[in-house]
Amino acid sequence: MVELPSMSTTLTGSVSRRELLAVMGSIVPVTISGCSDFAFSNGTEGEGDTIEIMVENQTDERAAIGVRVENDDGEMLFSRVYELEPGHLDSAAGIETTPSTVTAFTPEGAAATWEYAPGLDIDCEGEDIGITLRSDNSIESWYAC
């Protein structure tokens, strides 16, 4: 823990240049010490560690959307039912392994299964899986970094 020098002035009083430099000299290094990798990199460090599952409800009603993600051997990597309000997206879940197939379905009978094959022109590892339930009860798949 860093001890800050005590300042002999109140908020309404004046601060000497020496006191200001002493406080800033203590705060700034502590503030950015944990962010140096982020501040001085291109922001791609850590990208690709997790493939996010992003599920969006673009209907006018609350919707239940089931998602199942499997690997090449048909083993389940991820399974969850999302309960989403109209116009909401949930991206709080992800997987660590590259999947093979993704299935999304609703209790109303909408269903879609596709191979995980993002093919994005963006340079990123482990493109995130996007799933959108449309107002016509169709399911659209998409990818993002």
Side-chain angles (χ1 to χ4, degrees):
M1 178 106 192
V2 175
E3 269 189 53
L4 299 176
S6 64
M7 297 180 69
S8 59
T9 60
T10 63
L11 290 176
T12 57
S14 64
V15 177
S16 74
R17 182 172 184 250
R18 179 173 287 160
E19 289 173 324
L20 179 63
L21 290 174
V23 170
M24 293 307 291
S26 299
I27 293 173
V28 172
V30 171
T31 304
I32 65 169
S33 66
C35 302
S36 61
D37 289 341
F38 177 74
F40 299 110
S41 72
N42 63 5
T44 58
E45 293 255 334
E47 294 265 336
D49 293 346
T50 300
I51 298 171
E52 286 186 52
I53 312 294
M54 299 178 289
V55 181
E56 181 178 26
N57 176 11
Q58 285 298 316
T59 70
D60 294 332
E61 298 178 12
R62 183 176 176 85
I65 305 163
V67 177
R68 181 179 171 99
V69 180
E70 298 176 347
N71 67 12
D72 287 332
D73 297 325
E75 295 171 345
M76 183 175 51
L77 300 174
F78 178 85
S79 179
R80 181 173 172 187
V81 175
Y82 291 82
E83 296 280 339
L84 299 173
E85 295 296 325
H88 281 79
L89 180 137
D90 184 327
S91 63
I95 56 176
E96 302 293 325
T97 305
T98 302
S100 177
T101 60
V102 179
T103 301
F105 53 92
T106 68
E108 290 76 27
T113 299
W114 62 94
E115 289 186 32
Y116 176 79
L120 293 176
D121 293 334
I122 307 168
D123 184 24
C124 64
E125 297 176 29
E127 289 86 348
D128 299 331
I129 299 168
I131 300 165
T132 301
L133 177 62
R134 298 282 180 201
S135 58
D136 65 356
N137 209 30
S138 65
I139 295 175
E140 178 185 331
S141 67
W142 48 276
Y143 299 98
C145 258

